[in-house]
Amino acid sequence: MPSFCNFKTELNKVLFEGDSFYREVILNRPTKLNSLDYEVISLMLKNFRDFETDSTVKFVILKANGRAFSAGGDVVSIVSSMITGHWCFGARFYKKQFNLDYLLATYKKPLVRGAGLCMNGRFRIVTEKAVFAMPEASIGLFPDVGASHFLSRLPGNFGEYLGLTGGRLNGAEMLACGLATHFLFSKDLSLLETALKTLPSSDMTIIYQVINKFAQKPKLKQDTIYQTQRLETINKCFSKDTVEEILLALENEVKNNPEIWINKAINSMKAASPTSLKITLRSIRAGRLQNLKLCLTREYTICCNVLRATVSNDLYEGSRAMLFDKDKKPKWEPSKLELVSKEMVDRYFNGIDEDDWKYLQIPERSVTSMDVLMPKL
């Protein structure tokens, strides 16, 4: 019996199935929106590495049980472990997750997955049920897991809009902006899986052809954010140099153009951690000039400083207000954008001085698929 099968009985948060030709990795925490804790990530990292070096495995399918593909990292478990222990528990989680993200983005075998867990891969499939958002700034975090790489490569300044406002996208919008590579109706997913499992070859071109047989070109809804006039407004406002200037531009815009989405963007930014907003903007702008490995390395440094509360306690306060007490009234410190100085933001991007957690060690691998497939600016 192959060793990967044993994990199904040991820990059912993630299942590993398949035969001698393919493997299925199935996220199995539907009541927690398939969020990833340390155990799940550790198991996935080990098995994905094993599958990549196993000559009998031709391709891997990554999917999830339940209505959500993955809500990302399990922030509740991360923060809880740090409250009862030490900030290094959080650093350990991010070090493991970022290595998993990099492995999936540079996977040497065909890897078919939903867009969500890793946005830096070759095949990123969404359905009409997909919802994408990065609301990390609302709890005192910032978009990580390589977000400064994939958000910065979206058309214009759409990435800044998503990162600073936590704006939500559906599957059709994800396809339109380039976050997803294919759109399928959910009813066709099982048919696609069956077609892939019966392929005689793992050739990338053949897999593309099979996916394209089921792929659709969905129509964007009339009120979509991804329409020409709104994108022009987004580019005009979110291309500003600072968060303060972006917010002011939105407030000036809404005076003559009182659309609901602009008010939502303003309200979301005003409710978020001022420190997180400034970290987010700087991180995305830096990512535009860096490859995925450099983006993840920088994001890890920022994460460690956030976890250590190097400058601000906003992650713990935001988690308290939004995830634990749920009063939705976080008391950010500093409380206003103008009180967050450049020097304070700089400290998040500077390396930490504790040897065990000083560096993120990512093995050197080939160029990421996103460098090839994402829209170029």
Side-chain angles (χ1 to χ4, degrees):
M1 178 73 70
S3 61
F4 77 90
C5 291
N6 296 337
F7 288 110
K8 184 171 182 179
T9 57
E10 290 179 16
L11 184 66
N12 63 5
K13 295 178 182 178
V14 56
L15 310 178
F16 301 94
E17 301 177 352
D19 59 21
S20 60
F21 181 74
Y22 71 93
R23 296 288 188 268
E24 286 186 328
V25 179
I26 309 169
L27 301 178
N28 192 40
R29 303 182 77 195
T31 60
K32 294 185 178 294
L33 301 180
N34 290 312
S35 59
L36 311 176
D37 62 15
Y38 185 80
E39 293 173 300
V40 169
I41 288 176
S42 297
L43 286 169
M44 291 178 68
L45 186 59
K46 177 190 183 302
N47 280 270
F48 271 111
R49 284 172 173 165
D50 290 346
F51 298 159
E52 189 178 54
T53 58
D54 186 342
S55 61
T56 65
V57 177
K58 302 305 180 184
F59 69 90
V60 183
I61 297 174
L62 173 58
K63 61 182 185 178
N65 289 329
R67 62 187 178 89
F69 182 73
S70 176
D74 188 343
V75 178
V76 171
S77 69
I78 297 169
V79 173
S80 296
S81 68
M82 292 188 296
I83 291 175
T84 58
H86 190 271
W87 73 270
C88 69
F89 288 107
R92 183 182 66 163
F93 170 86
Y94 281 109
K95 181 172 285 191
K96 187 80 72 171
Q97 179 167 8
F98 286 7
N99 270 282
L100 175 63
D101 292 329
Y102 192 68
L103 176 67
L104 297 185
T106 58
Y107 213 58
K108 291 178 170 47
K109 292 182 177 179
L111 172 60
V112 180
R113 96 291 300 278
L117 175 59
C118 177
M119 300 301 300
N120 294 290
R122 184 175 297 275
F123 303 109
R124 305 182 303 280
I125 298 173
V126 294
T127 72
E128 75 280 3
K129 298 179 180 180
V131 178
F132 172 89
M134 302 207 77
E136 286 83 355
S138 67
I139 60 168
L141 265 171
F142 70 102
D144 53 20
V145 296
S148 62
H149 185 261
F150 64 77
L151 289 180
S152 67
R153 282 156 177 75
L154 297 182
N157 297 96
F158 197 59
E160 283 94 329
Y161 160 76
L162 293 175
L164 292 172
T165 68
R168 294 162 65 93
L169 301 180
N170 59 34
E173 292 165 330
M174 293 176 70
L175 181 70
C177 74
L179 284 172
T181 60
H182 297 84
F183 179 98
L184 273 68
F185 290 118
S186 55
K187 65 180 179 62
D188 293 330
L189 286 177
S190 60
L191 297 175
L192 171 62
E193 285 184 28
T194 299
L196 290 173
K197 292 173 185 177
T198 56
L199 280 179
S201 169
S202 61
D203 182 85
M204 290 286 189
T205 302
I206 295 177
I207 291 178
Y208 263 120
Q209 292 172 350
V210 172
I211 296 175
N212 285 336
K213 288 181 180 179
F214 296 92
Q216 304 291 328
K217 293 183 179 180
K219 291 183 178 180
L220 294 169
K221 294 181 179 179
Q222 189 172 2
D223 63 345
T224 178
I225 189 66
Y226 207 77
Q227 57 179 252
T228 302
Q229 185 176 356
R230 292 178 177 179
L231 292 176
E232 289 175 354
T233 300
I234 286 172
N235 290 338
K236 181 171 69 173
C237 295
F238 286 85
S239 62
K240 304 298 182 183
D241 291 337
T242 67
V243 179
E244 291 93 331
E245 291 173 318
I246 290 172
L247 191 55
L248 179 60
L250 288 169
E251 290 173 335
N252 288 334
E253 185 70 28
V254 82
K255 292 176 183 177
N256 301 315
N257 183 17
E259 288 195 75
I260 294 175
W261 76 267
I262 302 178
N263 273 309
K264 283 185 176 180
I266 293 171
N267 292 336
S268 294
M269 290 179 66
K270 287 186 173 181
S273 159
T275 302
S276 292
L277 290 176
K278 291 202 171 184
I279 292 172
T280 296
L281 182 62
R282 180 166 165 180
S283 183
I284 293 174
R285 296 276 166 86
R288 207 166 253 126
L289 304 174
Q290 296 178 328
N291 61 27
L292 177 61
K293 183 176 180 178
L294 290 174
C295 286
L296 287 170
T297 301
R298 171 176 37 75
E299 290 174 10
Y300 174 75
T301 296
I302 301 171
C303 280
C304 285
N305 282 305
V306 170
L307 299 174
R308 295 173 76 204
T310 298
V311 176
S312 168
N313 199 49
D314 278 2
L315 169 60
Y316 300 93
E317 172 59 15
S319 298
R320 179 205 64 76
M322 307 303 289
L323 303 176
F324 293 96
D325 296 345
K326 298 184 179 180
D327 58 35
K328 298 185 178 180
K329 295 180 180 179
K331 295 180 174 60
W332 306 123
E333 186 61 41
S335 60
K336 298 179 180 179
L337 286 169
E338 56 266 29
L339 298 177
V340 183
S341 67
K342 179 182 180 299
E343 291 71 26
M344 293 168 69
V345 177
D346 287 344
R347 291 175 64 187
Y348 284 95
F349 288 76
N350 293 334
I352 58 176
D353 54 8
E354 297 190 35
D355 289 340
D356 288 346
W357 307 105
K358 197 168 187 176
Y359 303 109
L360 175 66
Q361 295 177 333
I362 297 179
E364 194 64 46
R365 292 170 65 89
S366 58
V367 67
T368 69
S369 302
M370 288 284 284
D371 289 329
V372 177
L373 295 176
M374 285 296 292
K376 299 300 180 184
L377 297 173

